[in-house]
Amino acid sequence: MDDPTPDGDSSPAVRRIRQLLLHIRHPSAPSPSSVAGEGQLAALPCGSRENKVAAVSVAELAQYMRGRHREIQERVFEFFRSRPDLQTPVEISTADHRELCMRQLTALVRDAGIRPFRYVLEDPSLYFAISEAAGGIDISLGIKMGVQYSLWGGSVINLGTKKHRDKYFDGIDNLDYPGCFAMTELHHGSNVQGLQTTATFDPVTDEFVINTPNDGAIKWWIGNAAVHGKFATVFAKLILPLQGMGGGSADMGVHAFIIPIRDLETHSVLPGIEINDCGHKIGLNGVDNGALRFHSVRIPRDNLLNRFGDVSRDGKYTSSLPSINKRFAATLGELVGGRVGLAYSSVGVLKIAVTIAVRYSLLRQQFGPPKKPEVSILDYQSQQHKLMPMLASTYAFHFATLYLVDKYSEMKKSHEDEAVSDVHTLSAGLKAYITSYTAKSLSTCREACGGHGYAAVNRFGTLRNDHDIFQTFEGDNTVLLQQVAIDLLKQYKEKFQGGTLTATWSYLRESMASYLSQPNPLTARWEREDHLRDPKFQLDAFRYRTSRLLQTVAVRLQKHSTRLGGFGAWNRCLNHLLTLAESHIESIILAKFINSVQSCPDKNTRHVLKLVCDLYALDRIWHYNGTYRNDDYVAPNKAKAIHKLTEYLSFQVRGVARELVDAFDLPDYVTRAPIGMSSEAYAHYTQYAGF
């Protein structure tokens, strides 16, 4: 049968017919999408099931994974390795841990000469690399560094102006001015616009008067406040007397103010300020969280961080932004670096946990065939099911967060509105998705290591407890995912109004036309391995699910809003919206993983990364099998083939699991768990016990 159209005709309909014809004519040939054309994703050769995974060079893979700033991370690791007095012991009191954490940070800055603060503006990717390394030493150290430099310091340089940078930069940088970030209150966390602390301007004295009007307005969970902080950036409602309707007071919305809280010389708490300790926590006890109450505390007018709004000597308010909501959005937009850092650091925690669990699972031997040696517990399919998709996800998150850091760095240079909006949503989604995944995985890793995983020295308990709050601070994960959903719905609306889509969401333009078309009965049944491992099929499946979720939730919201109103409709569809946000973030993660695989210059390394990427993609597709089956996107035979291939890929990844975790390039000083040592694990463990 001849082709029905001339070769030059490349309409979508014709291309689809050709694909179907090729599949019918040559059922044993590679899928058309495995031949790369311009703008297409190329499938790498999969090989037969009998073939072993290509030998992988740990050095080559580690080199590709390292990124640009491995050298400074190694400086951090080497410094702390050379200072055993700064190592966090397994058992330590809260008071001792707090003092040790401050000594660790001070030594890193003053003795090792590593000054993270200058990179917050100059090179954020370098700052995040230092922060990840510090978190590898002690997660409390990484968080305390973040409070000092990203939150307290970042608020001064991002929300203030030149006069603030000139006055405070050096003291923040060298730790002469340890500080706090006082946003959260007892009654308000996520709803920042609901904060009740007030800053009322007094035109007679040219000062702001800071007040805590009730117990609900007490600043709560403020890092560095209980012991070490000397300053605080305090978020409060700016009140201007006589500027409101009828000569009353005007509430100009939430603004940030620098407030000294302790004497620089004596360290005594300053008059009018009440500080109490939030006490022992589930984790992160190296960070001294406190509560702050203000009793008519007076600060100079210059202590208003006035980048987005200012008050003149005569009490007049000026701003380049026309409304409270726009000023609030601009203020919070400058603080997204904390979310970027948490997503990046969460991957670092996951790498440590996966490394310990995989190494132990390779070492540990239990049972086996009759009259045969015992086998490694990682040879059991159940253990592979627990750990291999997790290992694949760790690689996926690694590349996704590198992309996020690059986007954030570009945004800090350009300050373009589109880039700011893109990074705001991307950082919210990745922070929420990755920290939630890591929190669940830490428990899985503990369980995968049996009784020995329960020993405190083997780290899982500490890692789990210290990391758990990552799901809450810098934005509760449920709230952050709603921000992603809001942006997706906005983009969906823009699509039908003829607007342009931001770069990260651009696939939605195509998805509305092609991904949501009726699933083709032939492609729904294709089950060949080269088709299932084709990155185009994988990415199409992820994006189809996101597009279907977006379309259906938009219809549901419109339906319910007529009866329940906007808030009621949103709440009725909330779980649907959260699922949509997670699906969208998974699509981005996979797209960046595929790009990273195809950009890898070494053939063998690329082959192994492709294997890991395929496992990540197909494990997710199988996880959502019900959705694909309900929409007839995947026929029963294809679903079964995906499941079988996922199990087989887990088996293949097990064959290179040691090399994959070794390529994280974590020194034993960082993993520290005896059962996770790169060699002689049992010897380290028995030595710790005293034998």
Side-chain angles (χ1 to χ4, degrees):
M1 184 173 69
D2 294 332
D3 286 341
T5 60
D7 290 342
D9 192 334
S10 57
S11 69
V14 171
R15 288 199 303 271
R16 193 167 195 177
I17 290 170
R18 284 179 174 168
Q19 288 182 347
L20 296 177
L21 287 173
L22 184 59
H23 178 70
I24 294 169
R25 288 171 174 171
H26 308 292
S28 62
S31 65
S33 55
S34 68
V35 181
E38 185 177 354
Q40 290 181 325
L41 298 169
L44 297 178
C46 302
S48 69
R49 295 211 165 189
E50 289 73 27
N51 289 346
K52 294 182 179 179
V53 179
V56 57
S57 164
V58 173
E60 289 281 356
L61 182 54
Q63 183 63 37
Y64 187 62
M65 295 281 288
R66 277 187 184 124
R68 301 189 303 274
H69 303 303
R70 180 64 184 184
E71 182 178 346
I72 199 163
Q73 291 187 317
E74 289 177 347
R75 278 182 60 195
V76 174
F77 295 151
E78 179 56 29
F79 172 73
F80 282 102
R81 190 197 62 78
S82 70
R83 291 286 301 271
D85 59 304
L86 296 176
Q87 181 170 337
T88 305
V90 175
E91 298 181 53
I92 186 171
S93 69
T94 296
D96 288 345
H97 197 178
R98 289 172 170 181
E99 290 308 312
L100 174 60
C101 196
M102 188 64 186
R103 285 197 295 114
Q104 288 172 333
L105 181 57
T106 303
L108 182 66
V109 171
R110 297 178 180 174
D111 298 346
I114 294 175
R115 298 290 186 89
F117 189 39
R118 64 192 62 182
Y119 304 120
V120 171
L121 270 182
E122 293 176 7
D123 189 351
S125 64
L126 183 53
Y127 170 78
F128 292 129
I130 296 170
S131 179
E132 181 192 25
I137 302 303
D138 186 332
I139 299 179
S140 285
L141 172 60
I143 297 303
K144 195 169 186 73
M145 177 186 292
V147 171
Q148 174 67 14
Y149 295 123
S150 180
L151 295 181
W152 151 237
S155 64
V156 171
I157 61 176
N158 289 318
L159 302 182
T161 49
K162 183 177 184 299
K163 62 183 178 183
H164 301 109
R165 290 191 286 272
D166 291 346
K167 183 174 181 179
Y168 293 101
F169 187 95
D170 289 342
I172 296 172
D173 182 47
N174 63 25
L175 289 175
D176 284 346
Y177 294 170
C180 317
F181 183 84
M183 179 180 282
T184 298
E185 295 177 355
L186 180 61
H187 283 184
H188 288 90
S190 298
N191 182 14
V192 178
Q193 285 186 295
L195 297 180
Q196 299 178 71
T197 302
T198 58
T200 305
F201 182 63
D202 183 347
V204 176
T205 62
D206 196 25
E207 295 173 317
F208 287 103
V209 182
I210 313 299
N211 239 335
T212 302
N214 53 62
D215 286 354
I218 296 172
K219 295 296 181 181
W220 209 271
W221 291 124
I222 309 305
N224 272 359
V227 179
H228 298 123
K230 296 180 185 292
F231 294 87
T233 294
V234 176
F235 289 79
K237 293 190 294 185
L238 195 164
I239 307 297
L240 295 178
L242 308 177
Q243 300 293 319
M245 297 290 292
S249 296
D251 180 352
M252 307 309 296
V254 173
H255 288 63
F257 303 82
I258 296 176
I259 302 179
I261 61 173
R262 288 187 175 91
D263 187 276
L264 285 174
E265 300 298 327
T266 67
H267 203 61
S268 299
V269 177
L270 294 174
I273 296 173
E274 187 179 352
I275 303 178
N276 283 293
D277 198 324
C278 289
H280 186 79
K281 307 183 294 290
I282 290 174
L284 290 183
N285 282 299
V287 182
D288 51 311
N289 293 89
L292 301 171
R293 185 199 290 269
F294 303 98
H295 302 277
S296 299
V297 175
R298 290 181 171 269
I299 59 172
R301 179 167 54 89
D302 277 352
N303 283 28
L304 167 65
L305 293 171
N306 61 339
R307 178 178 172 189
F308 298 116
D310 204 359
V311 176
S312 64
R313 176 65 185 85
D314 60 357
K316 295 293 192 298
Y317 185 84
T318 57
S319 174
S320 59
L321 300 171
S323 68
I324 286 177
N325 285 341
K326 286 190 177 296
R327 292 193 292 271
F328 178 73
T331 297
L332 292 193
E334 286 299 323
L335 303 175
V336 299
R339 295 174 185 169
V340 176
L342 283 182
Y344 193 76
S345 296
S346 184
V347 179
V349 174
L350 185 57
K351 287 176 183 176
I352 293 172
V354 170
T355 296
I356 296 169
V358 167
R359 284 179 176 169
Y360 175 74
S361 297
L362 288 165
L363 170 73
R364 184 74 166 179
Q365 295 180 338
Q366 293 290 290
F367 307 109
K371 299 181 181 180
K372 298 285 186 180
E374 291 185 305
V375 301
S376 162
I377 61 173
L378 198 55
D379 287 330
Y380 289 100
Q381 189 181 62
S382 56
Q383 194 80 343
Q384 292 169 15
H385 178 71
K386 287 179 183 176
L387 296 180
M388 295 303 95
M390 186 191 301
L391 178 55
S393 295
T394 308
Y395 268 78
F397 299 164
H398 170 85
F399 292 116
T401 51
L402 286 181
Y403 169 74
L404 173 62
V405 168
D406 286 344
K407 293 281 287 185
Y408 176 78
S409 300
E410 292 169 9
M411 181 206 77
K412 296 299 288 184
K413 293 175 183 176
S414 71
H415 296 287
E416 294 177 356
D417 289 344
E418 183 178 303
V420 171
S421 176
D422 206 11
V423 170
H424 174 75
T425 307
L426 184 62
S427 63
L430 284 173
K431 182 269 184 185
Y433 186 88
I434 291 173
T435 58
S436 293
Y437 184 96
T438 298
K440 296 180 181 71
S441 297
L442 288 166
S443 290
T444 301
C445 287
R446 204 293 302 158
E447 295 164 12
C449 293
H452 293 317
Y454 197 64
V457 71
N458 287 322
R459 305 284 314 280
F460 293 121
T462 302
L463 291 172
R464 183 173 56 191
N465 291 349
D466 285 349
H467 177 276
D468 196 60
I469 195 62
F470 281 40
Q471 300 174 92
T472 303
F473 59 23
E474 294 293 330
D476 176 87
N477 284 358
T478 301
V479 175
L480 294 182
L481 288 173
Q482 290 179 73
Q483 292 180 13
V484 176
I486 288 170
D487 198 65
L488 284 166
L489 288 165
K490 177 184 174 184
Q491 300 289 342
Y492 183 81
K493 183 179 179 182
E494 288 286 327
K495 158 69 182 175
F496 290 104
Q497 291 180 347
T500 59
L501 304 181
T502 56
T504 305
W505 320 146
S506 60
Y507 73 84
L508 292 174
R509 181 184 296 107
E510 183 180 352
S511 72
M512 295 301 108
S514 62
Y515 297 136
L516 293 180
S517 61
Q518 189 67 25
N520 183 280
L522 274 179
T523 55
R525 288 172 170 77
W526 284 356
E527 59 181 88
R528 283 185 27 178
E529 182 174 331
D530 57 355
H531 166 66
L532 299 180
R533 296 186 67 175
D534 184 340
K536 186 179 187 308
F537 158 71
Q538 297 164 1
L539 202 51
D540 280 355
F542 275 49
R543 290 174 170 177
Y544 169 84
R545 181 170 177 268
T546 303
S547 301
R548 176 62 70 187
L549 287 165
L550 177 56
Q551 182 194 50
T552 52
V553 81
V555 171
R556 288 186 66 205
L557 285 169
Q558 186 174 28
K559 170 188 170 184
H560 291 303
S561 62
T562 56
R563 183 169 60 88
L564 301 175
F567 181 85
W570 187 267
N571 194 36
R572 175 65 64 88
C573 301
L574 186 52
N575 290 335
H576 191 158
L577 289 159
L578 298 177
T579 302
L580 163 65
E582 289 177 336
S583 178
H584 172 63
I585 293 302
E586 287 176 331
S587 296
I588 294 172
I589 291 170
L590 177 60
K592 299 312 163 189
F593 200 172
I594 290 170
N595 289 345
S596 298
V597 171
Q598 296 178 341
S599 299
C600 182
D602 179 72
K603 180 180 178 181
N604 284 347
T605 303
R606 187 168 62 250
H607 181 84
V608 171
L609 285 174
K610 176 67 168 63
L611 168 67
V612 177
C613 184
D614 288 341
L615 175 57
Y616 171 75
L618 293 174
D619 176 72
R620 291 291 83 200
I621 293 171
W622 172 249
H623 183 76
Y624 302 122
N625 178 54
T627 300
Y628 293 116
R629 287 289 302 111
N630 288 342
D631 288 347
D632 290 326
Y633 190 84
V634 170
N637 66 305
K638 188 169 188 174
K640 183 177 180 181
I642 290 170
H643 186 211
K644 289 175 64 177
L645 182 55
T646 301
E647 291 185 339
Y648 179 69
L649 293 177
S650 288
F651 168 72
Q652 283 199 307
V653 170
R654 179 262 176 265
V656 290
R658 185 186 303 278
E659 290 83 354
L660 289 170
V661 297
D662 286 352
F664 292 147
D665 207 13
L666 298 172
D668 283 346
Y669 179 82
V670 172
T671 52
R672 288 204 296 283
I675 63 170
M677 292 291 106
S678 54
S679 63
E680 303 294 334
Y682 278 137
H684 287 283
Y685 199 16
T686 53
Q687 183 179 3
Y688 173 81
F691 290 98

